[in-house]
Amino acid sequence: MSDNIKKILLVHKNGGVANRLRNRSRNLGCDITVTHNLDDAANHIQSDKPGLIFVDTESLGEQGCSDMLRLKSRIFASQSKFVLFAQERNGYDDSIPDTTDVEWRMTTFSIDTFIHTVESYMSPDVQIRLWGVRGSTARPGKEHMLYGGNTSCVQIVLPDNDGLIVFDSGTGIHGLGNELMNSGKRIHGRIFITHSHWDHIQGFPFFKPFFSRHNNFAIHMPTQQKLQCHEVMQGLMSQNYFPTTTDNFKATMKYVTQVAYEQVYEGYTVEFMPANHARTTAMYKLRTGNKTIVYAPDNELEPIENGIIQDFRVQMRNFLSDADLLIHDGQYERSAYPSKKGWGHSAWQEAVEIAAEAGVKELILTHHDPDSTDEDLLETDKKLYQYRDYFKSLQLAREGFVHRLKKEPA
Ligand SMILES: [Zn+2]
Ligand SMILES: [Zn+2]
């Protein structure tokens, strides 16, 4: 974290915001500068090097959004954290470079959102970084730029633990690997794979940190049709499918066939409940301090029919009852589900309902259908609004997004 984290720059066209912020931000202990002038903003970044820069693209309007490009080089040279508030496409600028230092907030700017975001940066928290949110197959292309085309990969960053924690190794893990390599640090950690379907393992051979002898990894996966974790990965990298084998990895590699009951690791525990999916598929539950995250990207929730609640649904509600955050399969619209019944995925409405029934605090819907365009997902996003009162936050997963959970003392 930057030493200048308490220096904050807000670029917002409404000058009244500065006055309204003055009272609200008193307890934050920050030095907040508000400007609507992009030249002033650029000068300020150069001279004061603020640790956090917030830009409200909607308030700047179309002209401001393109003008903001002029800020780009200053921002990235300053190594500041850069948070962009934007809503839908009119506030979204394709030409902002793809970098994990840019955090997109798919929401309109408000004083409350701003204060909440500043607080989350200032205190230790658990970060959930979404590297791949697409289901079934990778889907690059101009119609998928906003939500992303890479398949399943989620990184959990604990504030007091430098070990890597990753769920799934879909194509999204390639970008994570590159970022880790660029850091120049030795890397150690664990990758928990839910199951061996392509969209959860296809990035595995392309994770560059496996090819450095300085690194050390454990790969975890439940038994797949009697195959142990190591056998599955050897098969994936057998010569029919890939030019090198797992024997070519230079890192120290350990393969763990994961069991369902709770395992204790470095500052966190992991257990899983088997999903309703084609083979043994883990719905992983990670506990750290007093925070619980459940990751269930492939799980078919069958609709309740004639008031009969399936045993699976009851078990799953129990499993979810202590979850602060659930990241769940929401591949289809409910109207599309009947023709996809038995394919192992859920209508997002079912995920919302079971999460609300179980008292889950925050919900991220993921594993987007490869045929869902940004337009489709923006439409779904609007429909989520009707469920907002059930959750502290409810959103569609978007590649590159960083979600934060405050890690309060237990
Ligand atoms: Zn999948
Ligand atoms: Zn699957």
Side-chain angles (χ1 to χ4, degrees):
M1 190 182 283
S2 162
D3 293 338
N4 285 343
I5 200 79
K6 292 193 172 182
K7 284 188 189 170
I8 294 171
L9 172 66
L10 170 63
V11 184
H12 193 291
K13 88 168 179 194
N14 183 350
V17 161
N19 291 332
R20 284 190 280 141
L21 264 176
R22 204 154 285 141
N23 288 334
R24 297 287 307 276
S25 61
R26 200 166 285 152
N27 295 334
L28 290 173
C30 301
D31 173 9
I32 301 176
T33 304
V34 184
T35 179
H36 66 280
N37 181 313
L38 292 164
D39 290 327
D40 284 353
N43 292 335
H44 184 77
I45 290 166
Q46 196 156 21
S47 58
D48 275 22
K49 299 193 171 41
L52 281 168
I53 301 168
F54 294 83
V55 177
D56 176 27
T57 59
E58 265 199 308
S59 130
L60 292 172
E62 270 179 38
Q63 186 60 37
C65 197
S66 58
D67 282 353
M68 210 178 64
L69 292 176
R70 300 197 329 255
L71 281 181
K72 262 189 345 187
S73 57
R74 302 270 177 95
I75 285 172
F76 292 106
S78 70
Q79 301 201 330
S80 304
K81 286 285 178 191
F82 177 32
V83 181
L84 202 60
F85 288 102
Q87 191 169 43
E88 300 186 7
R89 279 187 160 177
N90 52 1
Y92 168 74
D93 188 340
D94 285 332
S95 48
I96 300 294
D98 180 17
T99 160
T100 51
D101 282 339
V102 177
E103 181 175 327
W104 303 91
R105 296 255 154 182
M106 290 299 287
T107 176
T108 327
F109 176 89
S110 73
I111 301 273
D112 282 342
T113 330
F114 174 76
I115 298 273
H116 176 74
T117 311
V118 170
E119 280 175 341
S120 73
Y121 271 101
M122 306 259 305
S123 59
D125 53 16
V126 179
Q127 288 181 31
I128 296 91
R129 305 179 69 191
L130 307 180
W131 291 92
V133 302
R134 192 62 59 171
S136 306
T137 187
R139 192 66 173 88
K142 62 180 170 33
E143 292 183 320
H144 303 85
M145 298 287 281
L146 188 52
Y147 287 89
N150 279 304
T151 59
S152 302
C153 181
V154 171
Q155 179 190 13
I156 310 291
V157 182
L158 306 184
D160 41 9
N161 186 338
D162 65 350
L164 184 71
I165 306 169
V166 179
F167 288 130
D168 278 333
S169 56
T171 60
I173 203 170
H174 179 240
L176 168 59
N178 288 358
E179 183 189 87
L180 292 167
M181 292 304 283
N182 289 339
S183 74
K185 294 180 185 157
R186 288 175 183 239
I187 305 150
H188 65 100
R190 301 179 185 276
I191 300 175
F192 297 89
I193 299 173
T194 54
H195 64 308
S196 59
H197 283 166
W198 284 344
D199 49 324
H200 302 261
I201 60 170
Q202 232 170 10
F204 188 83
F206 301 95
F207 187 67
K208 293 192 183 87
F210 289 156
F211 295 91
S212 166
R213 66 185 171 82
H214 300 296
N215 301 333
N216 189 326
F217 297 100
I219 314 301
H220 303 248
M221 180 165 40
T223 312
Q224 301 291 296
Q225 307 288 84
K226 296 186 181 165
L227 290 181
Q228 307 293 302
C229 177
H230 195 188
E231 294 171 295
V232 174
M233 289 335 214
Q234 281 175 321
L236 167 72
M237 294 182 68
S238 61
Q239 302 245 307
N240 277 339
Y241 303 111
F242 202 72
T244 63
T245 71
T246 53
D247 293 337
N248 293 93
F249 290 151
K250 294 200 169 60
T252 304
M253 303 290 290
K254 180 177 159 195
Y255 296 87
V256 181
T257 299
Q258 192 74 0
V259 290
Y261 58 89
E262 188 177 84
Q263 304 292 301
V264 179
Y265 301 113
E266 304 78 18
Y268 62 98
T269 65
V270 173
E271 64 191 280
F272 75 81
M273 175 181 162
N276 183 22
H277 199 59
R279 55 185 56 233
T280 308
T281 298
M283 295 193 283
Y284 282 118
K285 180 188 279 187
L286 181 146
R287 281 200 185 90
T288 179
N290 61 354
K291 292 293 167 202
T292 301
I293 299 164
V294 175
Y295 174 68
D298 291 47
N299 182 43
E300 181 165 353
L301 291 165
E302 294 173 15
I304 298 172
E305 284 176 3
N306 306 320
I308 300 168
I309 300 171
Q310 310 91 334
D311 288 348
F312 177 81
R313 201 174 180 103
V314 175
Q315 286 166 22
M316 189 163 165
R317 268 189 212 157
N318 291 337
F319 186 71
L320 295 178
S321 62
D322 59 348
D324 294 281
L325 171 67
L326 169 65
I327 305 167
H328 194 279
D329 186 344
Q331 184 148 349
Y332 309 126
E333 275 290 331
R334 191 170 254 165
S335 57
Y337 175 77
S339 64
K340 322 271 186 181
K341 189 171 162 50
W343 289 17
H345 299 290
S346 295
W348 62 263
Q349 290 93 338
E350 297 295 336
V352 167
E353 284 174 13
I354 200 167
E357 288 164 16
V360 168
K361 296 187 185 75
E362 303 190 61
L363 174 62
I364 296 177
L365 296 161
T366 191
H367 209 273
H368 305 313
D369 193 274
D371 288 332
S372 293
T373 63
D374 288 339
E375 295 292 345
D376 296 331
L377 293 170
L378 284 168
E379 277 306 303
T380 305
D381 216 351
K382 284 181 193 153
K383 291 179 195 163
L384 294 184
Y385 191 71
Q386 64 190 293
Y387 299 98
R388 69 192 183 285
D389 292 341
Y390 293 101
F391 304 98
K392 197 168 139 198
S393 75
L394 167 62
Q395 58 201 309
L396 294 184
R398 194 174 43 72
E399 190 176 315
F401 184 72
V402 182
H403 189 80
R404 290 162 196 280
L405 285 177
K406 255 186 194 241
K407 192 181 174 192
E408 292 122 13

